[in-house]
């Protein structure tokens, strides 16, 4: 398989070069690209492609597919959580959420994660490898085909750190937003990072037009270093400066994710310090009641504490909302379904 071409990770221009250099007409490339982005599982399903070309593709290339290993559907809000497996048997999670504006999918970018954030279930499963662009696309295509829906928004906030898989993630973004592909506009794509500062600058320079979401989770380095190992490498001020520059370069408002952990980072003093740090920034704060993850001992902040936090930020004209909890009955936050799968003998 390693010598075969991962055709779903190839751009239209690359597919064109491949088939033209092997004696096939140029116009066939667009047909092939279109078929691949419909979520087909093998080349023989391409009904308007001649047999000779199909034979060539079968011997030179492969189509990466995200197979459904497990599927959970919420009884409350129709949120759907998937455990997908790939050609090598590795598994990742993805979640489809229904909103008034349409369907959003939260996809994974790596199998596991290296970052080790203490409140996250994914890191407790270890890290295996990064995903290819085709494996990221496959999560969307399989979900769309399974649910018979059109997904309009993508969040790179599942398993893994997207900026630790930079080149593949950027290629995925370009592929998924292609007019001849799934055609999901870059303004409908959100990338979440724990704060790899140099990569934020690199991402800004590409002017992709996506939304940057930064996992902040603390108002200072002391608290952040206890929960997020990456904070030992990049200070909170370095991270916030990168975010200011991201907005300056791209014109795109940054969102800060802030997990509310009772007794850890949710006091009025924490809110005031956060407000002071974010003062003057064009940003939004997304408060997330921390998920219950076995072994952490963390408890989510109560509603009164959440509202107090919001009110203090509002006094500094910083908008903040509490993220709507979806799929609570199916543990929709990423990492938990895979951990259960591993405990049952899976990868």
């Amino acid at each position: 398989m390693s010598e075969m071409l991962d055709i779903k990770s190839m751009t239209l221009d690359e597919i064109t070069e491949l088939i033209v250099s092997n004696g096939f007409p140029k116009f066939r490339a667009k047909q092939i690209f279109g078929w691949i982005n419909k979520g087909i599982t093998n080349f023989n399903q391409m009904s308007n492609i001649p047999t000779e070309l199909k034979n060539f593709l079968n011997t030179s290339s492969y189509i990466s597919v995200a197979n459904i290993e497990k599927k959970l559907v919420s009884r409350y809000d129709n949120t759907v959580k998937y455990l997908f497996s790939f050609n090598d048997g590795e598994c990742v999670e993805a979640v489809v959420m229904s909103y008034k504006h349409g369907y959003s999918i939260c996809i994974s970018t790596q199998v596991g994660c290296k970052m080790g954030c203490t409140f996250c279930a994914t890191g407790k499963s270890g890290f295996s490898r990064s995903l290819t662009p085709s494996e990221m696309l496959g999560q969307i295509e399989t979900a769309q085909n399974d649910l018979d829906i059109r997904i309009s928004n993508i969040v790179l906030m599942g398993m893994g750190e997207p900026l630790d898989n930079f080149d593949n993630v950027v290629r995925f973004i370009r592929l998924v937003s292609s007019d001849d592909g799934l055609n999901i506009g870059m303004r409908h794509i959100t990338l979440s990072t724990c704060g790899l500062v140099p990569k934020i600058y690199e991402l800004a320079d590409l002017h992709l037009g996506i939304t940057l979401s930064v996992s902040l989770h603390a108002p200072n380095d002391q608290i952040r270093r206890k929960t997020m190992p990456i904070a030992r490498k990049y200070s909170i001020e370095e991270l916030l400066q990168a975010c200011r520059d991201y907005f300056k370069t791209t014109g795109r408002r940054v969102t800060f994710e802030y997990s509310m952990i009772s007794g850890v980072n949710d006091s009025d003093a924490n809110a005031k310090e956060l407000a002071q740090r974010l003062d003057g920034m064009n940003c939004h704060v997304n408060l997330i009641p921390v998920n219950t993850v076995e072994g952490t001992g963390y408890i989510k902040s109560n509603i009164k504490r959440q509202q107090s936090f919001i009110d203090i930020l509002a006094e500094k004209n910083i908008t903040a909302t509490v993220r709507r909890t979806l799929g609570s009955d199916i543990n929709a936050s990423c990492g938990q379904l895979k951990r259960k799968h591993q405990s049952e003998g899976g990868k």
Side-chain angles (χ1 to χ4, degrees):
M1 183 68 73
S2 60
E3 296 177 359
M4 303 278 276
L5 295 170
D6 176 9
I7 198 165
K8 194 184 285 187
S9 290
M10 296 170 67
T11 64
L12 177 57
D13 286 345
E14 288 168 340
I15 294 174
T16 301
E17 182 180 351
L18 172 68
I19 68 163
V20 169
S21 64
N22 282 277
F24 298 101
K26 180 179 178 180
F27 77 91
R28 294 293 184 191
K30 196 168 184 178
Q31 293 176 325
I32 293 168
F33 191 76
W35 277 111
I36 289 169
N37 284 283
K38 288 179 181 177
I40 63 167
T41 58
N42 66 75
F43 296 112
N44 295 328
Q45 293 173 275
M46 298 180 176
S47 58
N48 60 346
I49 301 298
T51 301
E52 185 182 2
L53 180 49
K54 288 179 189 175
N55 291 340
F56 167 73
L57 293 172
N58 275 314
T59 56
S60 65
S61 317
Y62 71 95
I63 300 174
S64 176
V65 177
N67 301 296
I68 300 172
E69 289 290 326
K70 291 188 178 181
K71 174 184 175 182
L72 302 177
V73 182
S74 172
R75 293 170 292 174
Y76 305 133
D77 51 39
N78 295 320
T79 297
V80 182
K81 185 170 188 177
Y82 290 102
L83 182 70
F84 290 125
S85 65
F86 300 113
N87 295 356
D88 61 356
E90 293 286 6
C91 295
V92 299
E93 296 176 28
V95 180
V96 177
M97 298 154 286
S98 176
Y99 296 97
K100 289 181 180 178
H101 62 260
Y103 291 95
S104 294
I105 187 168
C106 178
I107 67 167
S108 296
T109 57
Q110 294 180 310
V111 182
C113 187
K114 304 174 189 174
M115 301 299 119
C117 300
T118 59
F119 46 80
C120 177
T122 296
K124 296 183 181 300
S125 298
F127 174 81
S128 296
R129 64 174 177 83
S130 290
L131 297 189
T132 62
S134 62
E135 290 169 331
M136 292 176 236
L137 287 167
Q139 296 170 65
I140 302 170
E141 292 165 357
T142 299
Q144 283 194 149
N145 290 342
D146 179 58
L147 299 174
D148 194 22
I149 60 171
R150 157 76 176 166
I151 288 170
S152 56
N153 292 271
I154 303 168
V155 185
L156 303 175
M157 200 184 287
M159 298 171 65
E161 163 56 56
L163 296 186
D164 187 47
N165 187 18
F166 191 88
D167 291 342
N168 282 334
V169 165
V170 169
R171 178 174 277 257
F172 159 76
I173 291 170
R174 295 191 191 282
L175 286 169
V176 80
S177 60
S178 167
D179 291 344
D180 298 307
L182 291 178
N183 194 24
I184 299 174
M186 290 192 188
R187 290 184 178 273
H188 296 276
I189 300 173
T190 297
L191 183 152
S192 175
T193 177
C194 68
L196 303 187
V197 170
K199 292 298 182 181
I200 291 175
Y201 285 106
E202 197 173 337
L203 184 67
D205 288 340
L206 295 177
H207 293 273
L208 293 177
I210 63 174
T211 297
L212 180 67
S213 180
V214 175
S215 296
L216 196 58
H217 306 310
N220 58 53
D221 287 322
Q222 185 179 4
I223 296 174
R224 200 163 190 266
R225 285 169 185 160
K226 289 178 181 178
T227 56
M228 303 181 71
I230 193 67
R232 297 169 201 151
K233 188 166 186 178
Y234 306 110
S235 71
I236 199 166
E237 195 46 54
E238 286 178 292
L239 176 57
L240 292 180
Q241 187 57 52
C243 293
R244 293 185 192 100
D245 290 345
Y246 185 87
F247 171 73
K248 185 177 179 181
T249 301
T250 66
R252 300 287 288 165
R253 183 178 73 162
V254 175
T255 296
F256 291 108
E257 306 286 336
Y258 196 102
S259 287
M260 297 284 287
I261 309 172
S262 181
V264 176
N265 65 352
D266 66 342
S267 69
D268 284 355
N270 294 150
K272 289 173 183 176
E273 186 176 5
L274 180 64
Q276 186 175 8
R277 284 198 181 276
L278 300 183
D279 190 26
M281 287 186 69
N282 192 317
C283 65
H284 176 82
V285 177
N286 197 5
L287 300 177
I288 309 165
V290 72
N291 293 298
T292 301
V293 177
E294 187 179 346
T296 66
Y298 291 150
I299 301 170
K300 68 181 179 182
S301 307
N302 61 43
I303 293 174
K304 185 178 179 181
R305 187 96 301 280
Q306 294 170 27
Q307 189 56 53
S308 178
F309 213 92
I310 290 173
D311 293 342
I312 290 169
L313 292 177
E315 289 173 7
K316 287 287 187 179
N317 297 314
I318 298 168
T319 60
T321 53
V322 177
R323 188 166 80 182
R324 177 182 164 204
T325 301
L326 296 174
S328 58
D329 58 324
I330 56 172
N331 287 329
S333 59
C334 273
Q336 301 187 67
L337 184 57
K338 183 180 178 184
R339 289 191 75 195
K340 184 178 179 182
H341 182 65
Q342 286 178 319
S343 71
E344 294 170 352
K347 269 197 173 186

